[in-house]
Amino acid sequence: METGVISTAADLPLDARVRLIYDGVDLVLKTYAPELLVLEDLYSEYRFPRTALLMAHARGVICLAARQREVTVLALAPAEVKRAIAANGAASKAQIQTGVQRLLGLAAAPRPSHIADALALALTGFSRRGGRLR
Amino acid sequence: METGVISTAADLPLDARVRLIYDGVDLVLKTYAPELLVLEDLYSEYRFPRTALLMAHARGVICLAARQREVTVLALAPAEVKRAIAANGAASKAQIQTGVQRLLGLAAAPRPSHIADALALALTGFSRRGGRLR
């Protein structure tokens, strides 16, 4: 299992940030040639509209990279992922970390929580495609 | 002067739509090699959050295409553009169409209004970079 985070400096212009995200995702897709890319659905209502809009820019270039490499994109609602991993659509970040740790038999909970969230998405996508979560 | 609209079918999956937009914009940038690409700033508060989020996906891949072709991106607030074109930060679509028609000496107002909006952005960007609007 490989995990990672693509980070960009908040003070870079948006076009530079989306390019870094695109290049990072494209490299992952090129390296691992996955069958599936799982993304979190954007809520239609956000408490932080500015954050949601920034995330949607990133999401746009991630979808583009997937499409260009012919990788299927699956978008899952956060509540759906929480139910699959922690049997509770309103599970906390800590519950997701514990659930992911248990399902993958990891010695420690994945940190930062972004990585647990990504693994939770991947596991739920795997399960949707017929894989079995223990 | 060349104008155009890149359209995608609403029933296509998001990854297919962003790819069409990216390919369309990339072709324009490759063909015309502009110095500047002007985009409308996204409002931080929208009446239609779902539309704003979809637009942000498109905006992400447009910024990416610009960055990859080393074209400077300038984002302008709608009110700023309206002031530059129609001397009124709350100008109507019709006023923008008339303003663009007058500034460019066109025989008719540009239609659809998307094209007038794009020309208004381009003219305002041109003016910001030291160009002179009549």
Side-chain angles (χ1 to χ4, degrees), chain B residues 62-81:
Chain B
I62 294 167
C63 289
L64 174 69
R67 184 76 185 189
Q68 288 173 328
R69 296 224 174 249
E70 297 177 11
V71 176
T72 303
V73 176
L74 176 65
L76 295 175
E80 202 172 342
V81 174

PDB file of all heavy atoms in Angstrom, chain B residues 62-81:
ATOM      1  N   ILE B  62      -9.239  25.105 -17.131  1.00  0.00           N
ATOM      2  CA  ILE B  62      -8.861  26.260 -17.959  1.00  0.00           C
ATOM      3  C   ILE B  62      -7.556  26.868 -17.427  1.00  0.00           C
ATOM      4  O   ILE B  62      -6.631  27.167 -18.191  1.00  0.00           O
ATOM      5  CB  ILE B  62     -10.003  27.306 -17.984  1.00  0.00           C
ATOM      6  CG1 ILE B  62     -11.235  26.732 -18.690  1.00  0.00           C
ATOM      7  CG2 ILE B  62      -9.546  28.600 -18.651  1.00  0.00           C
ATOM      8  CD1 ILE B  62     -12.515  27.549 -18.504  1.00  0.00           C
ATOM      9  N   CYS B  63      -7.480  27.024 -16.099  1.00  0.00           N
ATOM     10  CA  CYS B  63      -6.238  27.540 -15.491  1.00  0.00           C
ATOM     11  C   CYS B  63      -5.067  26.611 -15.791  1.00  0.00           C
ATOM     12  O   CYS B  63      -3.948  27.059 -16.047  1.00  0.00           O
ATOM     13  CB  CYS B  63      -6.391  27.663 -13.973  1.00  0.00           C
ATOM     14  SG  CYS B  63      -7.477  28.988 -13.461  1.00  0.00           S
ATOM     15  N   LEU B  64      -5.342  25.306 -15.742  1.00  0.00           N
ATOM     16  CA  LEU B  64      -4.281  24.329 -16.034  1.00  0.00           C
ATOM     17  C   LEU B  64      -3.768  24.495 -17.463  1.00  0.00           C
ATOM     18  O   LEU B  64      -2.550  24.541 -17.699  1.00  0.00           O
ATOM     19  CB  LEU B  64      -4.810  22.910 -15.829  1.00  0.00           C
ATOM     20  CG  LEU B  64      -3.845  21.800 -16.231  1.00  0.00           C
ATOM     21  CD1 LEU B  64      -2.653  21.742 -15.291  1.00  0.00           C
ATOM     22  CD2 LEU B  64      -4.549  20.444 -16.284  1.00  0.00           C
ATOM     23  N   ALA B  65      -4.697  24.589 -18.415  1.00  0.00           N
ATOM     24  CA  ALA B  65      -4.294  24.730 -19.823  1.00  0.00           C
ATOM     25  C   ALA B  65      -3.455  25.993 -20.007  1.00  0.00           C
ATOM     26  O   ALA B  65      -2.429  25.981 -20.691  1.00  0.00           O
ATOM     27  CB  ALA B  65      -5.529  24.770 -20.721  1.00  0.00           C
ATOM     28  N   ALA B  66      -3.870  27.080 -19.366  1.00  0.00           N
ATOM     29  CA  ALA B  66      -3.128  28.337 -19.472  1.00  0.00           C
ATOM     30  C   ALA B  66      -1.724  28.176 -18.891  1.00  0.00           C
ATOM     31  O   ALA B  66      -0.729  28.577 -19.504  1.00  0.00           O
ATOM     32  CB  ALA B  66      -3.878  29.453 -18.754  1.00  0.00           C
ATOM     33  N   ARG B  67      -1.655  27.573 -17.717  1.00  0.00           N
ATOM     34  CA  ARG B  67      -0.355  27.396 -17.069  1.00  0.00           C
ATOM     35  C   ARG B  67       0.580  26.542 -17.929  1.00  0.00           C
ATOM     36  O   ARG B  67       1.761  26.838 -18.083  1.00  0.00           O
ATOM     37  CB  ARG B  67      -0.563  26.741 -15.705  1.00  0.00           C
ATOM     38  CG  ARG B  67       0.694  26.598 -14.887  1.00  0.00           C
ATOM     39  CD  ARG B  67       1.076  27.938 -14.286  1.00  0.00           C
ATOM     40  NE  ARG B  67       2.340  27.882 -13.595  1.00  0.00           N
ATOM     41  CZ  ARG B  67       2.814  28.870 -12.843  1.00  0.00           C
ATOM     42  NH1 ARG B  67       2.127  29.991 -12.699  1.00  0.00           N
ATOM     43  NH2 ARG B  67       3.966  28.764 -12.245  1.00  0.00           N
ATOM     44  N   GLN B  68       0.019  25.461 -18.474  1.00  0.00           N
ATOM     45  CA  GLN B  68       0.844  24.568 -19.287  1.00  0.00           C
ATOM     46  C   GLN B  68       1.383  25.279 -20.527  1.00  0.00           C
ATOM     47  O   GLN B  68       2.471  24.979 -20.993  1.00  0.00           O
ATOM     48  CB  GLN B  68       0.036  23.328 -19.690  1.00  0.00           C
ATOM     49  CG  GLN B  68      -0.192  22.381 -18.519  1.00  0.00           C
ATOM     50  CD  GLN B  68      -1.121  21.235 -18.870  1.00  0.00           C
ATOM     51  OE1 GLN B  68      -2.031  21.390 -19.693  1.00  0.00           O
ATOM     52  NE2 GLN B  68      -0.919  20.091 -18.251  1.00  0.00           N
ATOM     53  N   ARG B  69       0.615  26.217 -21.063  1.00  0.00           N
ATOM     54  CA  ARG B  69       1.066  26.953 -22.262  1.00  0.00           C
ATOM     55  C   ARG B  69       1.709  28.297 -21.903  1.00  0.00           C
ATOM     56  O   ARG B  69       1.934  29.144 -22.780  1.00  0.00           O
ATOM     57  CB  ARG B  69      -0.100  27.170 -23.224  1.00  0.00           C
ATOM     58  CG  ARG B  69      -0.656  25.859 -23.764  1.00  0.00           C
ATOM     59  CD  ARG B  69      -0.924  25.913 -25.247  1.00  0.00           C
ATOM     60  NE  ARG B  69      -1.316  24.608 -25.759  1.00  0.00           N
ATOM     61  CZ  ARG B  69      -0.556  23.862 -26.572  1.00  0.00           C
ATOM     62  NH1 ARG B  69       0.607  24.304 -26.986  1.00  0.00           N
ATOM     63  NH2 ARG B  69      -0.986  22.686 -26.989  1.00  0.00           N
ATOM     64  N   GLU B  70       1.954  28.486 -20.593  1.00  0.00           N
ATOM     65  CA  GLU B  70       2.620  29.704 -20.120  1.00  0.00           C
ATOM     66  C   GLU B  70       1.886  30.980 -20.517  1.00  0.00           C
ATOM     67  O   GLU B  70       2.500  31.968 -20.915  1.00  0.00           O
ATOM     68  CB  GLU B  70       4.084  29.730 -20.577  1.00  0.00           C
ATOM     69  CG  GLU B  70       4.852  28.573 -19.984  1.00  0.00           C
ATOM     70  CD  GLU B  70       6.310  28.492 -20.444  1.00  0.00           C
ATOM     71  OE1 GLU B  70       6.795  29.453 -21.070  1.00  0.00           O
ATOM     72  OE2 GLU B  70       6.946  27.456 -20.168  1.00  0.00           O
ATOM     73  N   VAL B  71       0.575  30.922 -20.435  1.00  0.00           N
ATOM     74  CA  VAL B  71      -0.252  32.100 -20.684  1.00  0.00           C
ATOM     75  C   VAL B  71      -0.675  32.662 -19.326  1.00  0.00           C
ATOM     76  O   VAL B  71      -1.138  31.920 -18.463  1.00  0.00           O
ATOM     77  CB  VAL B  71      -1.505  31.726 -21.509  1.00  0.00           C
ATOM     78  CG1 VAL B  71      -2.421  32.942 -21.697  1.00  0.00           C
ATOM     79  CG2 VAL B  71      -1.101  31.131 -22.849  1.00  0.00           C
ATOM     80  N   THR B  72      -0.473  33.953 -19.141  1.00  0.00           N
ATOM     81  CA  THR B  72      -0.846  34.596 -17.882  1.00  0.00           C
ATOM     82  C   THR B  72      -2.358  34.566 -17.695  1.00  0.00           C
ATOM     83  O   THR B  72      -3.100  34.810 -18.643  1.00  0.00           O
ATOM     84  CB  THR B  72      -0.370  36.071 -17.886  1.00  0.00           C
ATOM     85  OG1 THR B  72       1.031  36.077 -18.112  1.00  0.00           O
ATOM     86  CG2 THR B  72      -0.684  36.771 -16.568  1.00  0.00           C
ATOM     87  N   VAL B  73      -2.792  34.251 -16.477  1.00  0.00           N
ATOM     88  CA  VAL B  73      -4.223  34.228 -16.158  1.00  0.00           C
ATOM     89  C   VAL B  73      -4.556  35.456 -15.315  1.00  0.00           C
ATOM     90  O   VAL B  73      -3.882  35.734 -14.328  1.00  0.00           O
ATOM     91  CB  VAL B  73      -4.596  32.958 -15.366  1.00  0.00           C
ATOM     92  CG1 VAL B  73      -6.066  32.999 -14.945  1.00  0.00           C
ATOM     93  CG2 VAL B  73      -4.312  31.707 -16.203  1.00  0.00           C
ATOM     94  N   LEU B  74      -5.574  36.170 -15.731  1.00  0.00           N
ATOM     95  CA  LEU B  74      -6.050  37.318 -14.956  1.00  0.00           C
ATOM     96  C   LEU B  74      -7.513  37.067 -14.606  1.00  0.00           C
ATOM     97  O   LEU B  74      -8.324  36.804 -15.495  1.00  0.00           O
ATOM     98  CB  LEU B  74      -5.923  38.597 -15.804  1.00  0.00           C
ATOM     99  CG  LEU B  74      -6.459  39.887 -15.198  1.00  0.00           C
ATOM    100  CD1 LEU B  74      -5.661  40.299 -13.964  1.00  0.00           C
ATOM    101  CD2 LEU B  74      -6.431  41.013 -16.238  1.00  0.00           C
ATOM    102  N   ALA B  75      -7.832  37.104 -13.320  1.00  0.00           N
ATOM    103  CA  ALA B  75      -9.222  36.915 -12.890  1.00  0.00           C
ATOM    104  C   ALA B  75      -9.802  38.265 -12.511  1.00  0.00           C
ATOM    105  O   ALA B  75      -9.189  39.021 -11.755  1.00  0.00           O
ATOM    106  CB  ALA B  75      -9.279  35.950 -11.714  1.00  0.00           C
ATOM    107  N   LEU B  76     -10.944  38.569 -13.053  1.00  0.00           N
ATOM    108  CA  LEU B  76     -11.578  39.866 -12.796  1.00  0.00           C
ATOM    109  C   LEU B  76     -12.957  39.668 -12.188  1.00  0.00           C
ATOM    110  O   LEU B  76     -13.702  38.772 -12.600  1.00  0.00           O
ATOM    111  CB  LEU B  76     -11.728  40.644 -14.107  1.00  0.00           C
ATOM    112  CG  LEU B  76     -10.435  41.071 -14.815  1.00  0.00           C
ATOM    113  CD1 LEU B  76     -10.768  41.726 -16.155  1.00  0.00           C
ATOM    114  CD2 LEU B  76      -9.634  42.024 -13.940  1.00  0.00           C
ATOM    115  N   ALA B  77     -13.287  40.517 -11.249  1.00  0.00           N
ATOM    116  CA  ALA B  77     -14.618  40.456 -10.638  1.00  0.00           C
ATOM    117  C   ALA B  77     -15.650  40.992 -11.621  1.00  0.00           C
ATOM    118  O   ALA B  77     -15.375  41.964 -12.345  1.00  0.00           O
ATOM    119  CB  ALA B  77     -14.642  41.280  -9.355  1.00  0.00           C
ATOM    120  N   PRO B  78     -16.827  40.380 -11.675  1.00  0.00           N
ATOM    121  CA  PRO B  78     -17.870  40.827 -12.608  1.00  0.00           C
ATOM    122  C   PRO B  78     -18.163  42.327 -12.492  1.00  0.00           C
ATOM    123  O   PRO B  78     -18.296  43.007 -13.517  1.00  0.00           O
ATOM    124  CB  PRO B  78     -19.089  39.990 -12.192  1.00  0.00           C
ATOM    125  CG  PRO B  78     -18.504  38.756 -11.585  1.00  0.00           C
ATOM    126  CD  PRO B  78     -17.227  39.184 -10.937  1.00  0.00           C
ATOM    127  N   ALA B  79     -18.195  42.841 -11.275  1.00  0.00           N
ATOM    128  CA  ALA B  79     -18.524  44.263 -11.103  1.00  0.00           C
ATOM    129  C   ALA B  79     -17.462  45.154 -11.741  1.00  0.00           C
ATOM    130  O   ALA B  79     -17.764  46.228 -12.278  1.00  0.00           O
ATOM    131  CB  ALA B  79     -18.682  44.602  -9.619  1.00  0.00           C
ATOM    132  N   GLU B  80     -16.228  44.696 -11.676  1.00  0.00           N
ATOM    133  CA  GLU B  80     -15.095  45.428 -12.227  1.00  0.00           C
ATOM    134  C   GLU B  80     -15.231  45.516 -13.765  1.00  0.00           C
ATOM    135  O   GLU B  80     -14.991  46.556 -14.372  1.00  0.00           O
ATOM    136  CB  GLU B  80     -13.867  44.583 -11.869  1.00  0.00           C
ATOM    137  CG  GLU B  80     -12.565  45.272 -11.832  1.00  0.00           C
ATOM    138  CD  GLU B  80     -11.501  44.314 -11.261  1.00  0.00           C
ATOM    139  OE1 GLU B  80     -11.849  43.295 -10.617  1.00  0.00           O
ATOM    140  OE2 GLU B  80     -10.313  44.596 -11.496  1.00  0.00           O
ATOM    141  N   VAL B  81     -15.622  44.400 -14.348  1.00  0.00           N
ATOM    142  CA  VAL B  81     -15.797  44.334 -15.800  1.00  0.00           C
ATOM    143  C   VAL B  81     -16.970  45.225 -16.222  1.00  0.00           C
ATOM    144  O   VAL B  81     -16.879  45.985 -17.189  1.00  0.00           O
ATOM    145  CB  VAL B  81     -16.037  42.878 -16.243  1.00  0.00           C
ATOM    146  CG1 VAL B  81     -16.367  42.786 -17.725  1.00  0.00           C
ATOM    147  CG2 VAL B  81     -14.812  42.018 -15.899  1.00  0.00           C
TER     148      VAL B  81
END
